Amino acid sequence: MAPKHHPTPLSGGDRKALSKELGRARAMTGILAAQAAEARAKGEALIRQADKLLSESWNERMWADGGPIDPSPTVDQAINGGYPWLEIECSRCKAKREVDMAALRHPPTTAVHDLASRLRCSKCARAGRRPPATLLQLSQRARHPDPEA
């Protein structure tokens, strides 16, 4: 974008006033840009805190009520809140494991409770069965070592 052209006034007083106003405007752009960056950083921190609280609230409801609770945070909200792991349990063999939600091939706007029907036990799959997984909770880090690795 081309810079805006301000026609230079004929009189000396008007030229000085124009240059003074242009200087003020240029100084204000830096001040306003800094304020915008600060407000954006505060907003992102508040969103991260809200996502963390939403994930913790869902974990508490899962513990208290059991079952995949709707509404749940979305995958990207859980990851942004610091809970990138989903603990699951096979409904057949009761094997527990963690799923890295960042590695899932689902859209990040997918609700966590919708993953219950899509996740399967890999141990039972090798035996020719495909039982659905039971969601337990969101976690900040993997607790159980992956038996397949």
Side-chain angles (χ1 to χ4, degrees), residues 68-135:
I69 305 294
D70 180 24
S72 65
T74 62
V75 171
D76 59 347
Q77 286 175 329
I79 292 171
N80 188 39
Y83 288 86
W85 294 91
L86 177 62
E87 292 184 23
I88 63 172
E89 180 181 66
C90 176
S91 59
R92 182 177 171 273
C93 67
K94 304 299 182 199
K96 293 183 181 181
R97 68 173 245 219
E98 285 81 19
V99 176
D100 184 6
M101 291 191 294
L104 292 177
R105 289 187 227 156
H106 299 289
T109 55
T110 303
V112 172
H113 74 273
D114 287 339
L115 297 174
S117 62
R118 300 176 188 174
L119 298 174
R120 304 280 185 224
C121 176
S122 57
K123 181 180 170 185
C124 291
R126 278 181 268 165
R129 295 175 179 86
R130 303 280 293 163
T134 304
L135 303 182

Side-chain angles (χ1 to χ4, degrees), residues 12-74:
D14 289 342
R15 280 194 303 269
K16 286 180 185 176
L18 177 64
S19 106
K20 189 176 182 180
E21 288 300 317
L22 287 174
R24 282 186 190 154
R26 289 184 182 116
M28 279 305 290
T29 59
I31 293 169
L32 294 174
Q35 288 176 351
E38 182 181 326
R40 181 171 303 280
K42 284 181 184 176
E44 289 171 355
L46 287 173
I47 290 172
R48 214 173 5 266
Q49 179 69 19
D51 289 344
K52 180 181 181 201
L53 292 172
L54 181 63
S55 297
E56 289 173 356
S57 168
W58 190 75
N59 276 347
E60 291 297 323
R61 285 186 292 149
M62 285 290 291
W63 183 81
D65 300 335
I69 305 294
D70 180 24
S72 65
T74 62

